Amino acid sequence: MTTHLLWLRNDLRINDNSALAAACHDKKADVMALFIATPKQWRQHSMSAKQATFIHQNLCELQQALAERGIPLHFHQCDDFAASVNYLSDFCKTHRVDALFYNYQYEINERERDAAVEKQLDEQGITCQGFDDSLLLPPGSVQTGNNTTFKVFTPFSKAFVKRLQQGMPECHSAPAARGDAPLNSLKKIPAFDYPTEKPDEKLFPAGEQAALKRLRAFARQPVLDYPLERDTPASDGTSQLSAYLSTGVLSPRQCLHRIVKEHADALKGGKAFTWISELIWREFYRHLIVAYPALCKHQPFIDWTHHVSWQKDSAHFDAWKAGKTGYPIVDAGMRQMNSIGWMHNRLRMITASFLVKDLLIDWRQGERYFMEQLIDGDFAANNGGWQWAASTGTDPVPYFRIFNPTTQGERFDKQGAFIRQWLPELKDVPDSDIHQPHVWAKKNNKKLDYPLPIVEHKAARKKTLDAFERARGAA
């Protein structure tokens, strides 16, 4: 009998899983699955404890779902990608695997690992089939008229939508059951050799069904309210699907099809398109790391920004991490992330801008810290967002455009509802003064258990502009 092996990575689902569907296409083949945990590699990639725990939770759910379809899920843990290549080769020999099926990952270390696997298995006479599964359209398939990669989002998005209007990528059904389900022989997946931090199960319930339920609920009405609600962190106006997309519990195709099913005008400029645009941003950054592998090595996209003289101020960095900068909207955002492993997207922009443009601290320090905290950590999106905020990346905010953290708070959390949720020490400050609480405290002879601003924004802004202008002049 032919034996097919599904190699699982960030694709922890049975619905719309390209590699799984292909592995199960031959109804006579014996199909098994394998997940290899690589804790040492995860540490090098700054994976958060919450994300690692969430992966484990979803892996356990997936094991059950696969078993119900007669597909056993094997598990192994080793240090890093190099060790995983050798283990996979030995596993295929032991189990007499004829063909390997997997979904591509696009970061440079992952691509090198996959190339090493294909080389070894090819020498063993084993067929390897890879699939562009975590994207709506494959990298390199949407290009400029000169057949180059888009470096600016808006024309990329227009070309991308045009392709989708010509025909959307199909979703694969979950495979049918293959003989008796080996439920009694399930070997419990052991805990990873990695820090454990259990996510809030109300915010991030594990499992494919929980993800699909959330997607269906969002696609009905909230997606239409998203254009108005998405920038207000106090309101529940975002989809909060990012944790499921980053771990592959949900696919972008499932998201697109569900939105279009509910709102037929979504790709024609309807209200629902605003959220679809966020999916396209996700695609944009993934396409870029394939076209420009240096991005995976933490290199800035704009060469002259190599010359920026970053400040090495550990006290300022620690204050930023702890949410104790003295700027309420910045601190509330950081405390939200530190607590639940997720941060509202508007606040990701505000907090990133503050670190780079007010504290003049290297964006790579912030990029790494976000990955260490986020349950939805995704290298391409995180790197793209940080380089955008730092004015070092493709299609960046111009370096001379610097967010004022006080006015950002006034604009997006006017009454301070979100700030009070995460900064209880400011609960007695009136709405009109919540964004500059020390001015109110001094005026009213009050004492606040809240730090004074660690920098003065106007002076910090000038310092940053000078640093960027010197760097540009040195190039």
Side-chain angles (χ1 to χ4, degrees), residues 349-365:
M349 291 189 273
I350 293 170
T351 55
S353 175
F354 186 83
L355 182 75
V356 178
K357 300 290 180 67
D358 281 80
L359 302 183
L360 199 55
I361 289 174
D362 194 330
W363 58 272
R364 283 161 282 221
Q365 289 185 243

Side-chain angles (χ1 to χ4, degrees), residues 297-330:
K297 299 178 181 179
H298 305 286
Q299 297 302 306
F301 190 84
I302 299 173
D303 280 343
W304 66 261
T305 62
H306 274 291
H307 300 286
V308 175
S309 297
W310 303 110
Q311 299 290 298
K312 293 179 173 62
D313 192 320
S314 59
H316 277 180
F317 186 51
D318 288 344
W320 176 82
K321 289 194 295 184
K324 294 183 177 180
T325 67
Y327 286 91
I329 195 65
V330 173

Side-chain angles (χ1 to χ4, degrees), residues 23 73 192 407:
L73 171 57
F192 301 149
T407 56

Side-chain angles (χ1 to χ4, degrees), residues 235-248:
S235 71
D236 188 18
T238 63
S239 70
Q240 294 197 9
L241 291 169
S242 54
Y244 301 101
L245 282 164
S246 64
T247 52

Side-chain angles (χ1 to χ4, degrees), residues 116-426:
V117 164
E118 291 214 4
K119 185 174 184 295
Q120 279 207 30
L121 296 194
D122 182 59
E123 291 169 358
Q124 293 171 220
I126 297 170
T127 303
C128 295
Q129 291 189 42
F131 301 86
D132 288 297
D133 180 75
S134 68
L135 290 168
L136 294 169
L137 298 174
S141 63
V142 179
Q143 297 196 312
T144 68
N146 296 323
N147 295 319
T148 58
T149 300
F150 282 101
K151 298 176 186 177
V152 178
F153 176 72
T154 300
F156 173 84
S157 178
K158 287 178 180 175
F160 199 95
V161 171
K162 191 175 180 181
R163 282 284 305 274
L164 292 181
Q165 288 170 341
Q166 291 167 357
M168 296 203 306
E170 293 182 7
C171 286
H172 301 283
S173 300
R178 311 174 72 80
D180 294 331
L183 291 172
N184 295 331
S185 62
L186 286 183
K187 210 172 182 182
K188 189 176 178 184
I189 296 170
F192 301 149
D193 180 18
Y194 205 78
T196 302
E197 197 172 337
K198 202 171 181 182
D200 185 324
E201 291 183 1
K202 287 184 180 177
L203 293 173
F204 304 106
E208 198 170 344
Q209 292 309 310
L212 290 169
K213 182 180 178 183
R214 181 169 290 184
L215 171 61
R216 285 192 291 267
F218 179 74
R220 291 185 196 111
Q221 179 59 40
V223 73
L224 299 179
D225 300 329
Y226 180 76
L228 290 174
E229 298 288 337
R230 64 175 180 156
D231 280 324
T232 309
S235 71
D236 188 18
T238 63
S239 70
Q240 294 197 9
L241 291 169
S242 54
Y244 301 101
L245 282 164
S246 64
T247 52
V249 179
L250 198 61
S251 82
R253 290 177 300 280
Q254 289 172 301
C255 295
L256 178 65
H257 277 272
R258 174 54 60 174
I259 299 296
V260 172
K261 183 177 181 181
E262 295 282 351
H263 309 285
D265 65 347
L267 288 174
K268 300 170 186 170
K271 284 185 180 179
F273 178 73
T274 303
W275 189 77
I276 289 176
S277 184
E278 296 301 315
L279 285 181
I280 300 174
W281 269 108
R282 179 178 178 274
E283 301 269 325
F284 180 54
Y285 287 137
R286 289 196 172 206
H287 286 224
L288 281 169
I289 65 169
V290 174
Y292 301 98
L295 295 173
C296 294
K297 299 178 181 179
H298 305 286
Q299 297 302 306
F301 190 84
I302 299 173
D303 280 343
W304 66 261
T305 62
H306 274 291
H307 300 286
V308 175
S309 297
W310 303 110
Q311 299 290 298
K312 293 179 173 62
D313 192 320
S314 59
H316 277 180
F317 186 51
D318 288 344
W320 176 82
K321 289 194 295 184
K324 294 183 177 180
T325 67
Y327 286 91
I329 195 65
V330 173
D331 295 339
M334 295 303 294
R335 293 192 202 180
Q336 180 187 44
M337 180 176 68
N338 291 339
S339 175
I340 67 172
W342 181 87
M343 192 196 295
H344 188 281
N345 190 54
R346 169 55 58 177
L347 299 179
R348 295 188 197 207
M349 291 189 273
I350 293 170
T351 55
S353 175
F354 186 83
L355 182 75
V356 178
K357 300 290 180 67
D358 281 80
L359 302 183
L360 199 55
I361 289 174
D362 194 330
W363 58 272
R364 283 161 282 221
Q365 289 185 243
E367 177 196 25
R368 186 178 305 111
Y369 186 70
F370 268 32
M371 288 298 286
E372 290 169 352
Q373 300 301 317
L374 291 170
I375 191 171
D376 63 355
D378 174 291
F379 174 79
N382 189 51
N383 178 273
W386 271 95
Q387 293 225 44
W388 179 88
S391 305
T392 63
T394 180
D395 196 21
V397 58
Y399 76 89
F400 47 81
R401 183 183 164 200
I402 297 177
F403 285 171
N404 180 318
T406 302
T407 56
Q408 286 285 307
E410 291 167 349
R411 183 177 174 189
F412 298 112
D413 190 33
K414 192 172 183 180
Q415 275 77 44
F418 180 80
I419 288 170
R420 287 191 185 83
Q421 182 182 349
W422 294 102
L423 308 182
E425 59 267 45
L426 300 183

